[in-house]
Amino acid sequence: AQKITQTQPGMFVQEKEAVTLDCTYDTSDPSYGLFWYKQPSSGEMIFLIYQGSYDQQNATEGRYSLNFQKARKSANLVISASQLGDSAMYFCAMKGSGNTGKLIFGQGTTLQVKP
Amino acid sequence: GAVVSQHPSWVICKSGTSVKIECRSLDFQATTMFWYRQFPKQSLMLMATSNEGSKATYEQGVEKDKFLINHASLTLSTLTVTSAHPEDSSFYICSAPARGLAASQETQYFGPGTRLLVL
């Protein structure tokens, strides 16, 4: 069975500093994909970044980067130069190879950026 | 980028009534869509996979007679909460997978969600 774990219920970061949100996963599928989504208080799910299990390099998208450590089964999200608008809930999710794309989500981490 | 819409965004209904929620992919075709449910400050829980042209696949513990799913076309899936009760009050959100520019790139686009309050 697939499982995603986010062990940080809440995190604080000072504006303009970097922050790492942890995510570990468990799967027996040889091919899988890992996603990070941001959910502000409005409820919309905003796609941030994707990492495929066979990707050689860590994914980056602007201020977001994914620290993918396959042997440790971790896919931490790094947000650089935090902004007040980054305050939101962040979800790590995984898609396995044996399905049509459904995602399994972690518990989420609430990030608060302090001015 | 790909956009998914949901309607309505808010619905308040009386206990015992049925509520229909629509999910549309606006600029791409989606043979598969997913329906999630989210309680306050909790994670998204997958309810079912909506398949165009065939029956939906429900996750364990989700009552298929309670949550009716119809994938009417390649761009529309509907979720009907039948005989709604206060415990059905939740945030319902749909998603559809889409390919990115790179062959390995894939993402899922989510609708803005529907907040259901059953009185």
Side-chain angles (χ1 to χ4, degrees):
Chain A
Q2 296 177 321
K3 188 177 180 181
I4 288 275
T5 303
Q6 293 177 256
T7 57
Q8 306 156 313
M11 290 281 286
F12 288 92
V13 65
Q14 204 68 38
E15 191 178 9
K16 299 181 183 178
E17 292 185 349
V19 63
T20 298
L21 306 183
D22 295 341
C23 173
T24 58
Y25 61 92
D26 191 18
T27 181
S28 56
D29 288 332
S31 176
Y32 50 90
L34 296 157
F35 301 78
W36 277 93
Y37 285 87
K38 172 184 177 181
Q39 187 181 42
S41 57
S42 61
E44 61 180 318
M45 293 289 284
I46 302 169
F47 167 72
L48 297 179
I49 199 166
Y50 169 82
Q51 179 85 43
S53 57
Y54 292 121
D55 292 343
Q56 295 296 315
Q57 294 186 327
N58 286 347
T60 60
E61 289 286 348
R63 294 187 300 110
Y64 305 106
S65 60
L66 202 151
N67 184 3
F68 182 45
Q69 298 190 35
K70 197 169 182 178
R72 293 186 176 185
K73 294 189 175 180
S74 73
N76 299 337
L77 176 70
V78 180
I79 304 174
S80 62
S82 296
Q83 303 172 355
L84 295 178
D86 293 335
S87 295
M89 197 149 185
Y90 289 80
F91 289 100
C92 180
M94 176 169 64
K95 180 187 83 70
S97 60
N99 57 55
T100 55
K102 65 181 180 182
L103 299 182
I104 306 300
F105 283 85
Q107 303 91 320
T109 296
T110 299
L111 175 67
Q112 292 191 26
V113 181
K114 294 182 176 181
Chain B
V3 178
V4 174
S5 70
Q6 255 182 268
H7 178 81
S9 55
W10 265 101
V11 59
I12 301 173
C13 69
K14 292 182 179 180
S15 185
T17 60
S18 294
V19 175
K20 180 185 281 189
I21 302 170
E22 292 186 348
C23 177
R24 293 181 185 271
S25 57
L26 296 184
D27 53 1
F28 66 103
Q29 293 183 335
T31 56
T32 301
M33 291 184 177
F34 302 96
W35 286 96
Y36 295 84
R37 182 176 182 176
Q38 185 182 28
F39 291 107
K41 300 195 182 299
Q42 293 189 22
S43 185
L44 279 73
M45 296 299 296
L46 179 67
M47 298 175 67
T49 302
S50 175
N51 305 300
E52 191 270 334
S54 63
K55 291 182 179 180
T57 305
Y58 290 83
E59 296 299 304
Q60 192 173 9
V62 177
E63 300 175 59
K64 57 183 177 183
D65 295 330
K66 173 78 171 173
F67 300 100
L68 300 179
I69 291 172
N70 182 28
H71 203 129
S73 72
L74 288 172
T75 59
L76 174 64
S77 174
T78 60
L79 168 68
T80 301
V81 183
T82 62
S83 186
H85 287 94
E87 57 265 29
D88 298 324
S89 299
S90 188
F91 186 61
Y92 294 87
I93 190 165
C94 68
S95 74
R99 286 259 171 218
L101 294 178
S104 64
Q105 182 73 25
E106 180 178 324
T107 190
Q108 287 219 18
Y109 292 96
F110 283 80
T114 298
R115 296 191 187 278
L116 170 64
L117 177 61
V118 185
L119 302 177

